[in-house]
Amino acid sequence: MTTIGVVRETDAGERRVALAPDDVPKLRRAGLRVLVEAGAGAGSWFPDPAYAAAGAELADRAEVYAGSDVLVVIGPPDDLTALRPGQWLAGLLAPLTDPVLAERLAAAGVTAVSLDLLPRTLSRAQAMDALTSQASVAGYKAALVAAGAYGGYLPMLMTAAGTTRPARVLVLGAGVAGLQAIATARRLGATVTGYDVREAAQEDIASTGATVLRLDTAAGTGTGGYARRLTAAETAAQQQALDRAVAGFDIVITTAQVPDGRPPVLVTEAALDGLRPGAVVVDTAAGEHGGNVAGSEPGKTMVTPRGVTVVGAAGLLAQLPQAASTAYSRNICALLGSLVRDGAPVLDPDDEIHAAIVVTRDGAVVNPRVLAALGSEVGS
Amino acid sequence: MTTIGVVRETDAGERRVALAPDDVPKLRRAGLRVLVEAGAGAGSWFPDPAYAAAGAELADRAEVYAGSDVLVVIGPPDDLTALRPGQWLAGLLAPLTDPVLAERLAAAGVTAVSLDLLPRTLSRAQAMDALTSQASVAGYKAALVAAGAYGGYLPMLMTAAGTTRPARVLVLGAGVAGLQAIATARRLGATVTGYDVREAAQEDIASTGATVLRLDTAAGTGTGGYARRLTAAETAAQQQALDRAVAGFDIVITTAQVPDGRPPVLVTEAALDGLRPGAVVVDTAAGEHGGNVAGSEPGKTMVTPRGVTVVGAAGLLAQLPQAASTAYSRNICALLGSLVRDGAPVLDPDDEIHAAIVVTRDGAVVNPRVLAALGSEVGS
C-alpha cells in the first residue's frame, strides 16, 4: 500500500501543514495510507488526535521519512538528506528560484513534483493550484491587516450624531491576492478602487464591483498571466500618474509581484508624502528583494514623519494558517488524485500537468524550465 | 466671545481628542472661539495645521487652560488644578465611579457636565450620546480583532478545490458594542449568533439578521437599559447552558458590561475547554475588575493548553482613534449646541438633559446620583 507522509514544516515562522485532517478520509478511500509526524499540524491548530480520528497514523519524523512513498510538504524540508532513492516529494519547491535544490533531489534519486510549475491556465489544473489558493489567503489577510492598522471605520456608519463616509481603499495589483483584498475590503464596507497594468485584470477588478483606476500608461501583461516588467520610460510615466492618483485614498494595499524577481515600487516616497496623516499602506510584496512601497521592510510597521503608516506585510499565510493549510491540503489531494493510479504514484508523460510539474526523476533534473534556470545560474 | 478649549488627553495610552478639525467650523459659525493645545489631535492623526485651517487657534497647554471658558475633554485631565472658578469642564468624567473628582471640581468652582450621565433613552439626547458612539467603535474593532486573531477565513469561500464554510461567531452581550460586533462579523461573511439576557436586546439581535441564542434562563433587563446582575442561581443555570452552547463556535466575542461594577464571567474555564483548538475568544470587558472570560487579562493574548486563543481586548478605542474622536467630537458639538445660548454656556434647570448631566455648579456637587455615590463612599 502506498503511504503518504506528512512532516512538520521546517521554515522559520511557517505554521502551515501540507495535509489537513479533514482530507485524510479522502486519501484513505483512495487506498492510501497516511503517516503524519506528531505535531505537524499544531501550527494550524490541527491536533494529533484529529489526524488519528480521521484515519491517519502518527509517527516521529524519522519514521515518516522511512515509511512514506510520497512526502507531501509546503516548502522543501531542511533535512532533504533523509529522503531515499525512489521516494517522491511533492510541494511548492520553488525550483526556478532554487534550481540547485532540484539538482540535489535528482542526485538523491527522488522524484520531485512542484506545484509552482503548474500550468495555471488549464482548467483541469485549478483544483491543484496552490499558488492561487495561497494568494487568496494572503489577499484576504492583507485587507484585514489594513483594516486593523487603520484608525477609522471602513464602512459608512450612520448615527444620531451624523454619518461617517466609508474609507477609500486602493488595491494595486489585481492578481488573485489583489482581487481577494478588494473583495474583503468591499465586504467591510469600504469604497474600493483597483489598479493593474494588465487589461484582463482591469476586467477582473470591474467584475468585483470595485472601481477601476485607469492611468494613461502602457499595458503590461506578460507571460503566464503575470504582469510583465515595464520599460523604464513606461515605469516613470506610470509612477507619476500613480503618485497623483494615490493621494486621494485612506488605505493602499499593494500586491504586485513579478515571478522570480524584484517587485516593482508602485508607491514611491512622493506618493507617501501625498497621503494624508493617518493613511495606511500595506505592502504584501515586502521581502528581502524590496517591495511595492518605498522603504517598506518585511515584518515591520513604520510611520512616516507625515503620519502615514506603512506595513511591510510578511508572513501573511502564517497568520491565517488554518485557512491556508486547508486550502493547500485540497490542492495536494487533487494532485495526488491525478498522480496515483491503481494505488501508486505514476507520471503520465502524455499528461500536460504531469509534464509541467515534474522536476526530477530517475536521478536527473528533467524539467526544461528548471534546466534553463540551472543553465543561467551556471552562466551567471 | 466664549472660547472652547481642547487639550491633549493625559490618560496613558489615550489617543483620542475631544474635538476633530472637521467640527471646528460648526462651532465658529455658532459664534464660538476654538483654542486647541498644539499636538492635541496627533494621536488621532489630526495634525495642528488641520485645526488651524478649520479656524481654530493653536496654543500651549497653559494658554488653553487660561484662555478657555469651556474645556472639552474625553476623560478628566490629570492637571485639574489648572482649572479656575467659573470655568466649565465637559467630557466623560465618570463621576459615579470617581465621585471624589466631582468634589474636587466643586471645590475649584468649576461647572462640570458629564456625558456619561446622559438620559440615553431620550431621543433628543442621542446626538450627544458619547457612550453609544464609543461603544460602537469598540464593537467594530472587537470584530476586527477577532478576525485578525483567527487562523481561518470568516467568509465562505468557493474555489476550484472546494468550498470553505463561513466561521461561526457568537457575540455575548447585545448592547451597542455587541450589535456593532455582530454587524461587522456579518459584513465579513461569518455566520453570527448573538446572545443577551435582556429580551429587548434579543429583538435587536434578530433585527441585524443574526441568529438569537436562546437559553432557558431568566430575563435580565435592569435599570437604564443595562443588563441587571442576575441572582447566583440564575447565573449558574445561565453559565451551564452557555458552556454547552459556546462549544460549537469558532469565535466568541464578549461585550457584557454592567455599570460601575465587576463584569460577569460568561465564558468559564469549562466553556474554554469545550472550544476547539484554533478557536478565538475576544473579551472586550477585560479590565482591572476582571472580564467576561475566565482568566482574560486586559491587553494580553493567551493561548490555553487546548489551543484556544483568549484576547483581553483593552484599549479598543485607542486602536481606532480617528473614528472614536470623530464620533465623540460630534457628541461634544451636539452638547455645546444644547448648552450655548446667545454665545455663552447656560444650564437650563427645566432641561431634562441639563439636569441629568450637570455634576457641579456654584461650588457644589449638585447631581443627585453623584451625591448618592459620594454618600455610599463615605458610608463604606
Side-chain angles (χ1 to χ4, degrees), chain B residues 197 217-220 228-239 264:
Chain B
V197 288
T217 55
R228 72 173 167 89
R229 191 168 286 284
L230 300 179
T231 68
E234 283 169 347
T235 301
Q238 184 197 50
Q239 280 188 356

Side-chain angles (χ1 to χ4, degrees), chain A residues 56-70:
Chain A
E57 293 163 54
L58 278 298
D60 67 25
R61 189 172 184 91
E63 288 167 341
V64 175
Y65 268 102
S68 60
D69 302 295
V70 181

Side-chain angles (χ1 to χ4, degrees), chain B residues 244-325:
Chain B
R244 287 190 298 272
V246 159
F249 291 90
D250 302 305
I251 293 174
V252 182
I253 300 170
T254 69
T255 70
Q257 309 218 19
V258 285
D260 319 320
R262 190 172 292 274
V265 172
L266 297 180
V267 180
T268 62
E269 274 190 42
L272 287 177
D273 282 343
L275 287 164
R276 68 165 179 81
V280 168
V281 183
V282 174
D283 183 0
T284 70
E288 54 178 329
H289 300 300
N292 294 150
V293 180
S296 76
E297 286 182 52
K300 291 201 179 154
T301 296
M302 64 157 194
V303 180
T304 70
R306 189 174 158 74
V308 174
T309 300
V310 178
V311 182
L316 289 173
L317 299 173
Q319 293 173 48
L320 216 66
Q322 183 193 315
S325 298

Side-chain angles (χ1 to χ4, degrees), chain A residues 4 27 32 70-73 88-92 112-116 118 124-130 328-341 345-347 351 353-354 357-358, chain B residues 161:
Chain A
I4 309 299
L27 299 182
L32 301 166
V70 181
L71 201 69
V72 295
V73 295
W88 288 56
L89 179 68
L92 288 169
V113 294
S114 188
L115 284 175
D116 35 20
L118 203 68
R124 202 163 52 83
Q126 285 175 9
M128 310 175 202
D129 192 349
Y328 188 89
S329 175
R330 288 177 177 180
N331 302 138
I332 281 289
C333 287
L335 171 69
L336 292 172
S338 167
L339 288 176
V340 174
R341 289 286 165 267
V346 182
L347 282 168
D351 186 309
I353 293 175
H354 292 196
I357 63 176
V358 62

Side-chain angles (χ1 to χ4, degrees), chain B residues 6 22 49 67 77 108 118 120 131 166 182 184 192 205 208 210 220 244 269 340 358:
Chain B
V6 182
D22 276 0
L118 202 69
R120 299 171 74 185
L131 290 182
I182 288 173
T184 306
V192 184
I205 295 166
T208 66
R244 287 190 298 272
E269 274 190 42
V340 175
V358 63

Side-chain angles (χ1 to χ4, degrees), chain A residues 150-153 157 159 161-165 276, chain B residues 15-23 26 44-46 51 74 127 133-134 137 317 320-334:
Chain A
Y150 184 57
Y153 284 120
L157 283 197
T159 70
T163 299
T164 310
R165 70 161 175 78
R276 68 166 178 81
Chain B
R15 296 185 58 120
R16 292 174 293 169
V17 61
L19 187 71
D22 276 0
D23 289 329
K26 202 183 307 177
S44 294
W45 307 112
F46 300 143
Y51 284 100
I74 307 265
S133 76
Q134 303 304 291
V137 171
L317 299 173
L320 216 66
Q322 183 193 315
S325 298
T326 299
Y328 187 87
S329 174
R330 288 176 177 180
N331 303 139
I332 281 288
C333 287

Side-chain angles (χ1 to χ4, degrees), chain A:
Chain A
M1 185 185 276
T2 296
T3 300
I4 309 299
V6 182
V7 285
R8 183 194 274 266
E9 295 295 311
T10 50
D11 254 22
E14 182 60 80
R15 296 185 58 121
R16 292 173 293 170
V17 61
L19 188 72
D22 276 359
D23 289 329
V24 172
K26 203 183 308 177
L27 299 182
R28 298 273 291 153
R29 282 195 299 273
L32 301 166
R33 180 173 166 244
V34 180
L35 196 56
V36 178
E37 180 184 353
S44 295
W45 307 111
F46 300 144
D48 290 344
Y51 284 100
E57 293 163 54
L58 278 298
D60 67 25
R61 189 172 184 91
E63 288 167 341
V64 175
Y65 268 102
S68 60
D69 302 295
V70 181
L71 201 69
V72 295
V73 295
I74 307 264
D78 64 7
D79 50 359
L80 280 177
T81 49
L83 288 163
R84 54 183 159 70
Q87 206 163 18
W88 288 56
L89 179 68
L92 288 169
L93 307 177
L96 299 180
T97 46
D98 186 7
V100 173
L101 178 85
E103 280 191 320
R104 286 176 54 205
L105 288 168
V110 170
T111 302
V113 294
S114 188
L115 284 175
D116 35 20
L117 300 175
L118 203 68
R120 299 171 73 184
T121 47
L122 274 188
S123 75
R124 202 163 52 83
Q126 285 175 9
M128 310 175 202
D129 192 349
L131 290 182
T132 286
S133 76
Q134 303 303 291
S136 186
V137 172
Y140 168 80
K141 187 68 186 177
L144 282 189
V145 167
Y150 184 57
Y153 284 120
L154 261 64
M156 178 174 76
L157 283 197
M158 284 169 288
T159 70
T163 299
T164 310
R165 70 161 175 78
R168 288 166 297 218
V169 175
L170 173 65
V171 177
L172 298 178
V176 176
L179 291 171
Q180 191 62 47
I182 288 172
T184 305
R186 277 175 53 78
R187 276 184 183 281
L188 276 168
T191 302
V192 184
T193 300
Y195 172 73
D196 197 294
V197 288
R198 298 166 299 147
E199 277 165 40
Q202 293 174 1
E203 286 168 34
D204 292 339
I205 294 166
S207 74
T208 66
T211 304
V212 181
L213 175 66
R214 293 187 196 279
L215 303 176
D216 187 20
T217 55
T221 307
T223 53
Y226 283 101
R228 73 172 167 87
R229 190 167 286 286
L230 301 179
T231 67
E234 284 169 347
T235 301
Q238 183 197 52
Q239 280 188 357
Q240 281 175 16
L242 254 183
D243 288 357
R244 287 190 297 272
V246 159
F249 291 90
D250 302 305
I251 293 174
V252 182
I253 300 170
T254 68
T255 70
Q257 309 218 19
V258 286
D260 318 320
R262 189 173 292 275
V265 173
L266 296 180
V267 180
T268 62
E269 274 190 43
L272 287 176
D273 282 343
L275 287 163
R276 68 166 178 81
V280 168
V281 182
V282 174
D283 183 0
T284 71
E288 53 177 332
H289 300 300
N292 294 149
V293 180
S296 77
E297 287 183 52
K300 290 200 179 154
T301 296
M302 64 158 194
V303 180
T304 71
R306 190 173 157 73
V308 174
T309 300
V310 178
V311 183
L316 290 173
L317 299 173
Q319 292 174 48
L320 215 66
Q322 184 193 315
S325 297
T326 299
Y328 188 89
S329 175
R330 288 177 177 180
N331 302 138
I332 281 289
C333 287
L335 171 69
L336 292 172
S338 167
L339 288 176
V340 174
R341 289 286 165 267
D342 300 324
V346 182
L347 282 168
D348 176 354
D350 295 331
D351 186 309
E352 220 175 338
I353 293 175
H354 292 196
I357 63 176
V358 62
V359 180
T360 63
R361 68 182 301 179
D362 303 330
V365 175
V366 297
N367 189 286
R369 294 172 66 195
V370 179
L371 285 168
L374 275 169
S376 67
E377 187 133 314
V378 170
S380 68

